[in-house]
Amino acid sequence: MAGLPGHREGSAIMALIQARGLSKTFGNKAAVRGLSFDVVPGSVTGFLGPNGAGKSTTMRLMLGLDNGEGVTTYDGVPYRELRQPLRQVGSVLDAKPFHPTRKAVNHLRMLAVSNHIPSSRVTDVINLVGLGDVANAKPKTFSLGMGQRLGLATALLGDPGTLILDEPANGLDPQGVHWLRNMLKTLAGQGRSIFVSSHLLSEMALMADSLVVVGRGSLIASGKMSDFISTSNRNAVVIRVDQPDLMIRELRARQAAVVTEPDGKLAVTGLDSDRVGALAHELGVRVFELSNRQATLEEAFLDATGASEEFRASMGFGNQAPAFGGPMMGQLGYGAPSGLPSRRVATDRRQGTALSLVNRAATGSPGAMANRRRAATGPRGGYGAPPPAPPPPAPDTVSNEDGSRRGGDGA
């Protein structure tokens, strides 16, 4: 098998990952809820979800690093029962999983000895990830991207058949991201299973063959990327005609859904472009444009996970509270009493109550009393707000002989 430098010819490629019923709770909060999915050999499977969806916790469960429910097997064997795990499953869950003062090459040598891996493999992987020139440097001096490369060298050290990587592109420059994508696709082409999480959806669209999508700890979708994208309601046949009203009426009569876009084009779902074009010809409608619009991975992801977003930022649009940093509609603000709607919080803030500001003030901290005074006297202007008007000047006064004050006009 043609492989990357240092690949052991004839070595077993351990590939199939099967996760079944993975669950984990922290206190009363369920971080992962009964996740089950497969990562098949010869593919890069992307692991997607909003922040707080449970991706990192899921990966820790898969590797036996967290106690929870369910099981993950690698060709039928749980991770904790693998005899030489580094030779079978390589993983990167932390950007800098190494001692900061141990030289990079010594970090790899230590792991190689403990897993009976020849020292020649250390040389292979440290050059493969582009750290040959800094092999004798201490990782505490490494940038985030260099730390990611050393983590990848660790994962590749045993020439495993399976890779589990949590946001490996974080901190890499564009050239590094391109290199990572090509390397993972090459490894998958050798029959390995690659399971990788990322928030870089444009990059994932170029790299992954399949997807596992989660939200609030629950499975949203699992399967081929093309199938996932095809479910987006942003896929449509787009047509621009000279008689849009007639076209809309006839399309809807054929059970098609039609949306008129701001530029006058019609977005049609429920009929393919051939049937839409044939209908226009049948009606004698002049067609200026006819095309298929395919949703991007980002659009499909936002459609699928919008209701599962754990943390939302207020943009001040539409009916949302206009205060920068305020809660979204339907969400409680930080420090708001239980059951108080976000609109009430925003209203109270504008009236000077500023509940969240008072609750955020740490008891005994130097700024706590100042925060309370500001909350009690009303809000101050934020960035971009006009400065407060100066107070009217006091009239000039002079003192009488008995200490009383009189007007400055001497009257």
Side-chain angles (χ1 to χ4, degrees), residues 63-148:
L63 296 170
L65 298 175
D66 272 350
N67 293 321
E69 299 178 8
V71 63
T72 302
T73 59
Y74 304 85
D75 278 354
V77 182
Y79 186 84
R80 291 180 178 179
E81 297 178 14
L82 297 175
R83 296 183 61 183
Q84 293 181 311
L86 201 60
R87 287 180 176 269
Q88 296 164 310
V89 181
S91 62
V92 178
L93 302 187
D94 190 343
K96 294 188 176 183
F98 38 73
H99 195 284
T101 60
R102 181 181 291 123
K103 294 180 180 179
V105 67
N106 289 340
H107 170 73
L108 296 174
R109 286 171 178 163
M110 175 194 67
L111 294 173
V113 169
S114 65
N115 285 265
H116 307 289
I117 297 172
S119 59
S120 60
R121 181 63 180 169
V122 172
T123 302
D124 291 336
V125 296
I126 205 163
N127 286 315
L128 173 65
V129 301
L131 294 180
D133 291 342
V134 292
N136 288 307
K138 296 179 179 179
K140 68 178 182 180
T141 65
F142 285 4
S143 66
L144 177 60
M146 293 170 68
Q148 288 280 29

Side-chain angles (χ1 to χ4, degrees), residues 17-51:
I17 305 174
Q18 294 179 302
R20 295 292 182 268
L22 300 182
S23 298
K24 175 68 177 179
T25 59
F26 295 96
N28 294 325
K29 180 177 176 59
V32 180
R33 309 166 188 261
L35 286 186
S36 296
F37 56 86
D38 294 341
V39 179
V40 299
S43 70
V44 177
T45 298
F47 192 29
L48 304 180
N51 286 332

